[in-house]
Amino acid sequence: MRAYWSQLRTELALTSRQGEQLLVSLGIPLLVLVFFSTVDVLPTGTDEPVDFLAPGVLALAVMSTAMVSLGIGTGFERAYGVLKRLGASPLGRPRWVAAKISSVLVVEVVQWVLLIAVALALGWSPAAGGWPAALVGGLLGTAAFGGLGLLMAGTLPGLGTLALANALYLVLLLTGGMVVPLDELPGAVAAVARVLPAAPLAEVLTGSLIEGRTVGAGAWVALAAWAVLAPAVAAATFRWE
């Protein structure tokens, strides 16, 4: 366990030094939350914009950390030969994977605490009974997007992972129902978005945390499928060097 804790501390220290990734992981969701909650320009379908935006931004934070930060960081570690050396060290690959997953969860907890505090200060009134479902959705989303991040990191060059992760982040941000409701998107775009992981995660969180809304069974099925399939494919195709 000592090797695991040491690696976890290292992962968190490295994360804290990556300013550009912290901007994506925390800065962008926070900016989206504050700006669009105070400037009522989006067709959110709620009395207060923050009631729709807060759950969506929590989903965005999961995507930022589990896919973009994890994928890009791991991709460059692989490109520089770090993973090859760690895999052959006393740490071993299983404890390295556990430390990576743990670091992602730690960062997400910090993100959620800060974003929830800001959202409450902006007047958010979440449905209190929806938090258990939202937490389960967050964990499933972490598995789904973490799998996608590791899939890119384990099969593409470091720069390729950087480009694809950021491009996918932007596309899912715009089409995943996190900022603009899916009902406001063109029908074909919304149909495709519903089978990608961002929209089901956003639906689970908004449906759980907006008073009077529910989560469709299709969203749970799609999110759970991505949470199983993405990590499985990543594990099967991951190249350590």
Side-chain angles (χ1 to χ4, degrees):
M1 289 298 291
R2 183 176 299 176
Y4 159 78
W5 287 111
S6 177
Q7 184 61 28
L8 176 58
R9 288 193 297 270
T10 300
E11 295 289 344
L12 293 174
L14 291 173
T15 299
S16 68
R17 296 170 187 168
Q18 295 172 345
E20 68 283 356
Q21 293 308 318
L22 287 177
L23 175 63
V24 173
S25 299
L26 183 57
I28 292 178
L30 188 59
L31 178 62
V32 169
L33 174 64
V34 174
F35 180 80
F36 288 110
S37 293
T38 54
V39 179
D40 190 5
V41 297
L42 294 176
T44 59
T46 56
D47 293 336
E48 297 293 334
V50 70
D51 289 334
F52 171 80
L53 287 166
V57 165
L58 294 180
L60 180 60
V62 170
M63 183 172 70
S64 301
T65 300
M67 183 181 73
V68 181
S69 295
L70 176 62
I72 293 175
T74 305
F76 279 105
E77 287 176 355
R78 173 174 166 263
Y80 295 149
V82 175
L83 299 188
K84 179 181 178 181
R85 292 192 291 271
L86 285 176
S89 72
L91 173 68
R93 291 176 179 177
R95 280 177 288 194
W96 172 82
V97 172
K100 277 285 186 186
I101 295 172
S102 299
S103 69
V104 168
L105 291 174
V106 169
V107 173
E108 287 181 350
V109 168
V110 174
Q111 287 177 300
W112 275 38
V113 169
L114 178 58
L115 290 170
I116 290 169
V118 172
L120 291 174
L122 290 170
W124 184 32
S125 300
W131 283 109
L135 291 174
V136 173
L139 290 174
L140 290 175
T142 298
F145 284 111
L148 288 176
L150 291 177
L151 176 60
M152 290 183 283
T155 56
L156 299 174
L159 290 176
T161 301
L162 173 66
L164 183 57
N166 282 321
L168 190 58
Y169 175 80
L170 180 59
V171 170
L172 294 178
L173 167 62
L174 296 175
T175 64
M178 299 174 180
V179 178
V180 179
L182 288 180
D183 293 341
E184 300 294 331
L185 298 176
V189 175
V192 173
R194 291 182 194 280
V195 300
L196 299 176
L201 174 59
E203 182 178 340
V204 166
L205 295 185
T206 55
S208 300
L209 296 176
I210 295 179
E211 199 71 52
R213 292 198 183 182
T214 58
V215 182
W220 282 113
V221 171
L223 184 59
W226 277 101
V228 172
L229 293 176
V233 174
T237 59
F238 196 93
R239 299 193 302 269
W240 291 85
E241 55 183 292

